[in-house]
Amino acid sequence: MSPVYATFGLEPATRVGAVLADGGHQVHRDFVDFVVDGSPLLFRLADLDAVSPLASDLPPAVLDAQVRALLLEDEPPLPGGRFVLYGCPECADLGCGAVTVVIERDGDDYRWRDFAWQTGEHVDLDRDGYHGTGPFHFHGPAYRAALNALLDGATAALPRRVLLIGPRAGLLAKLAAALRGIGIGADVTPDATDVPAGELEQYGAALTVSPTQRAALGETFARTGTAFVDAPAPVLPVLVAQLQQALDRTPAERRRLTALSATPYAAEIDVSVPGRVQLTAYRVDRLRRTHVRTVLDAVLGPGRHRLPLDPRTVRGEAYLVARTSGGVLVAAVRGASARD
């Protein structure tokens, strides 16, 4: 009897970093995700903050070794023929937990079976198995072609880099340091009006704190294809999130979060596939102090979700930032009261 084949592919993906309220960081990681039957495999694992071992910042020799392992040209790293498909984005240590799978040959084809969450050398499939995920049977030539194309650079995720325009001292210097701290390259220039378009095209996103330059540069960046943040927030973590949103080139059908809006009384967020969503409110008071409050941290299913807000949390100048492991959205709170 002929096997029922699943399609196999690869596509760029991102684990968005963050500047946390306590001054800590979550690292930004670009990687290549596995696409099974037209859908990212990571989407089947709703509440998982992890990346594949096919990261964009790997040296060529390490990436080559990861691909050879998936092609079964190297020995499996774990007992029982198990391979790591997703691991901790911060340290890649198995002790933090990883999604593992048995990969085996079936003639010229490949089979992935017995998906599990693993934190040690051995795994208990009854307790920690992803029941209902797999097994997947992949046509050998297509499977090998997709992985070999990665070595040729055809599917590699592009490094992220942003241009910050304005005074080097103060906010932009702190912003550049925060972006670099989570793995996003950042350059600061006092004026970009005379920078050649060829140089501007090297940046995925740009931001300026100068209203006069903002008006002059909008059309320039539109021509280069560089995303331009035209309404930057005065709050460092929100600025980071705005730039991350601008950098995101994921097709709409591949995003977990597709829309975010807010009034002083409610936030509305659209979710395409189940996943953990964190919603944080940032408020700037009359003394320009920033107040931070977590509004939501939960797994949400597909659809539009309306979440009530306390108007006292978002009075004055306020912003909401919604995050999943693969995306971020920012919304200014419309019609917030000026009273503090």
Side-chain angles (χ1 to χ4, degrees):
M1 182 177 178
S2 299
V4 177
Y5 287 106
T7 62
F8 179 84
L10 300 169
E11 68 177 23
T14 299
R15 185 263 194 166
V16 294
V19 176
L20 306 178
D22 62 2
H25 295 84
Q26 290 180 338
V27 69
H28 178 106
R29 298 294 304 278
D30 292 311
F31 63 100
V32 175
D33 198 7
F34 309 105
V35 180
V36 178
D37 285 336
S39 177
L41 183 59
L42 196 56
F43 278 12
R44 300 172 186 253
L45 311 170
D47 187 19
L48 185 63
D49 181 16
V51 299
S52 84
L54 306 176
S56 65
D57 55 356
L58 291 178
V62 178
L63 180 62
D64 182 74
Q66 296 289 355
V67 170
R68 286 203 315 271
L70 294 170
L71 291 170
L72 300 183
E73 296 174 2
D74 279 347
E75 292 297 314
L78 298 171
R82 302 195 72 83
F83 295 81
V84 173
L85 291 186
Y86 298 103
C88 174
E90 301 287 340
C91 66
D93 191 292
L94 184 63
C96 293
V99 177
T100 66
V101 68
V102 174
I103 302 179
E104 58 191 9
R105 290 292 294 270
D106 181 6
D108 193 41
D109 299 332
Y110 295 79
R111 183 186 295 112
W112 288 10
R113 63 172 175 84
D114 296 340
F115 288 77
W117 179 252
Q118 191 165 347
T119 56
E121 187 175 2
H122 299 283
V123 65
D124 184 337
L125 288 177
D126 290 334
R127 183 190 64 193
D128 298 321
Y130 282 97
H131 306 292
T133 301
F136 300 120
H137 198 107
F138 301 120
H139 189 245
Y143 180 90
R144 288 189 291 272
L147 287 166
N148 286 324
L150 179 62
L151 296 180
D152 296 334
T155 320
L158 295 175
R160 310 288 180 170
R161 195 162 195 84
V162 301
L163 180 63
L164 311 177
I165 306 161
R168 292 181 183 272
L171 180 61
L172 291 191
K174 295 178 181 177
L175 177 57
L179 290 165
R180 293 165 187 153
I182 63 173
I184 297 177
D187 294 328
V188 182
T189 181
D191 190 340
T193 54
D194 296 326
V195 177
E199 292 186 25
L200 296 178
E201 289 173 354
Q202 300 175 19
Y203 297 96
L207 173 151
T208 179
V209 295
S210 167
T212 55
Q213 286 202 58
R214 199 172 303 145
L217 290 170
E219 293 185 5
T220 300
F221 283 109
R223 290 194 299 270
T224 64
T226 301
F228 189 53
V229 178
D230 59 3
V235 182
L236 184 63
V238 182
L239 282 172
V240 171
Q242 286 181 312
L243 285 164
Q244 289 177 307
Q245 180 177 339
L247 285 168
D248 192 352
R249 299 294 191 272
T250 308
E253 65 273 13
R254 291 282 197 261
R255 300 185 184 187
R256 277 198 170 111
L257 303 180
T258 57
L260 173 68
S261 60
T263 70
Y265 301 97
E268 289 192 349
I269 184 168
D270 290 357
V271 179
S272 63
V273 294
R276 181 186 177 194
V277 178
Q278 296 171 301
L279 190 63
T280 308
Y282 296 86
R283 179 176 70 85
V284 181
D285 66 21
R286 292 181 180 178
L287 298 178
R288 310 312 292 170
R289 296 171 300 190
T290 301
H291 303 264
V292 185
R293 182 169 181 178
T294 299
V295 177
L296 175 75
D297 189 348
V299 175
L300 298 182
R304 174 164 293 181
H305 300 267
R306 183 176 174 85
L307 309 169
L309 297 176
D310 182 346
R312 294 171 297 179
T313 302
V314 292
R315 65 183 181 271
E317 186 174 5
Y319 302 86
L320 289 185
V321 177
R323 290 184 176 276
T324 66
S325 62
V328 59
L329 292 178
V330 181
V333 179
R334 303 189 311 271
S337 169
R339 295 180 59 190
D340 206 338

